[in-house]
Amino acid sequence: WHTDFDSNTASAIAFHRAICAYIPKRPEPSEDWTLPHATTPLLLLAGEADPQDPIGSMPQLERAFPNSSAIVVPDYGHTVAQFGCLGRLVSSFVISGGAKQLDTGCVGAITPAALALG
């Protein structure tokens, strides 16, 4: 990948591959792999630039969780709940029991901190 994190990433991959050798292998029937479904309200917070859990990996979210709402924070990566107005939005979601009344207009004003070089 040619980044400063290559050795760390390679080490993590080697570690996980080594652990896999100790996990018993067994066949799993395809019918055991079904999508979850729940009508419980769900609020998803995602960073637009999250390489770990990209929002594009969740195309069936609304089908699996019909009472879900996704808030995508522009220009952010993984773990966004502590930024800007998101804490207030999560509180409002919990108090109201759903996302129908959430005013998410404040999310667009969340901007990453400036990167100081030098």
Side-chain angles (χ1 to χ4, degrees), residues 44-48 50 53-55 58 71-74 76-77 80:
L44 172 73
L45 303 177
E48 175 189 50
D50 185 348
D53 296 314
I55 191 68
M58 302 168 205
I71 296 175
V72 181
V73 183
Y76 269 79
V80 296

Side-chain angles (χ1 to χ4, degrees), residues 4 7-8 11 18 27-29 32-33 35 40 47 51 61 66 72 77 81 96-97 99-103 118:
D4 291 338
S7 62
N8 184 36
S11 175
E28 295 190 27
D32 287 352
W33 289 87
L35 287 174
T40 305
L61 180 69
V72 181
S96 67
K100 299 219 184 298
Q101 307 289 26
L102 288 182
D103 178 6

Side-chain angles (χ1 to χ4, degrees), residues 24-43:
K25 311 288 186 276
R26 64 183 172 95
E28 295 190 27
S30 60
E31 59 269 10
D32 287 352
W33 289 87
T34 59
L35 287 174
H37 187 274
T39 57
T40 305
L42 176 112
L43 181 63

